[in-house]
Amino acid sequence: MVEVFAVASGKGGTGKTTSTVALGMALADRYDVTVVDADTGMANLLFHAGLSEAETTLHDVLADDAAIDEATYERFGMTVVPCGTSLDGFRDADPARLREVVATLAADTDVILLDSPPALDSRTAVLPIVMADRIVVVLQPTIPAISDGLKVQEYATSYGTGVAGILFNKVREDERIDDVAEKTERYFDGPTLAAIPESERAREARRAGRPLLAHAADCDAAAAYRRAADALSVDSGESGDVADRFRSAVIPETL
């Protein structure tokens, strides 16, 4: 059975896309992994996956101008479905079509990671969280980031989406992450998967347009992402027509 994770945060700048791609690469050692840029308004996945020249993107699929297989690319051991960067492409895309996209992809992969929008500010922005089986909440160890992450969890669980775990990112050397994680786990449903140290190598990878695990596979941050992937349990049991549950995902009427 395919399992769908929404990689989510309550605010921008937490390193959500970096984390999505890193988890995808690490999980791809054991599973068939598909990473989807579900943040249709602020596309970043194509840059992280070195796909800035992608001719067809998810925007074309959501506008009903292309089939999903035309917007899928094999990169770094994963299948990647990026969005484009043009304003016209965003305007023409119908985010509700994401349900059919995920349903189609679900038939031929083990794990889908949805790089989700960073804020719960519209009905379609929360659709990836509603469709997911579980969320991975990306946090920085600050009170505002944790507070916003709790809002994401509250929304997810209200629609029956579970919490796979918490991923602390951009952790400075002077931050006592064990103390923060212990206190945070009192409020989050899932465990702390890992604490990713702040890393110049991650910034280098973004500038180079390569995933961190490809750019600097031996750095401390890459090792922490691999630990997070190892801690992330994946349900790979048998099921029937799993695509039906994605096609029938309800777009919330209110936020």
Side-chain angles (χ1 to χ4, degrees), residues 2-167:
V2 65
E3 184 155 20
V4 178
F5 296 94
V7 183
S9 63
K11 62 187 293 294
T14 60
K16 180 173 51 60
T17 302
T18 295
S19 298
T20 303
V21 175
L23 287 173
M25 282 192 65
L27 288 169
D29 290 338
R30 289 170 285 156
Y31 303 100
D32 289 328
V33 175
T34 300
V35 177
V36 180
D37 194 345
D39 187 357
T40 58
M42 299 293 288
N44 283 304
L45 180 60
L46 76 172
F47 298 117
H48 287 257
L51 286 168
S52 57
E53 301 300 322
E55 183 175 344
T56 305
T57 71
L58 182 59
H59 279 165
D60 299 302
V61 179
L62 297 180
D64 203 22
D65 291 332
I68 183 59
D69 63 301
E70 298 176 69
T72 59
Y73 302 86
E74 298 303 316
R75 299 289 290 170
F76 305 103
M78 308 175 290
T79 299
V80 177
V81 187
C83 280
T85 58
S86 75
L87 184 57
D88 287 342
F90 169 65
R91 286 171 175 163
D92 293 340
D94 177 4
R97 292 182 181 272
L98 185 63
R99 294 174 294 186
E100 184 63 33
V101 168
V102 173
T104 301
L105 294 170
D108 196 33
T109 193
D110 299 323
V111 175
I112 295 177
L113 297 174
L114 301 176
D115 185 18
S116 305
L120 305 177
D121 57 0
S122 72
R123 293 169 59 224
T124 52
V126 300
L127 182 57
I129 292 173
V130 173
M131 284 196 302
D133 296 297
R134 291 184 288 164
I135 58 172
V136 175
V137 186
V138 181
L139 303 173
Q140 288 180 257
T142 66
I143 291 175
I146 292 169
S147 176
D148 288 341
L150 283 169
K151 295 172 189 172
V152 173
Q153 172 178 271
E154 181 180 2
Y155 197 89
T157 55
S158 72
Y159 276 88
T161 301
V163 180
I166 310 157
L167 187 65

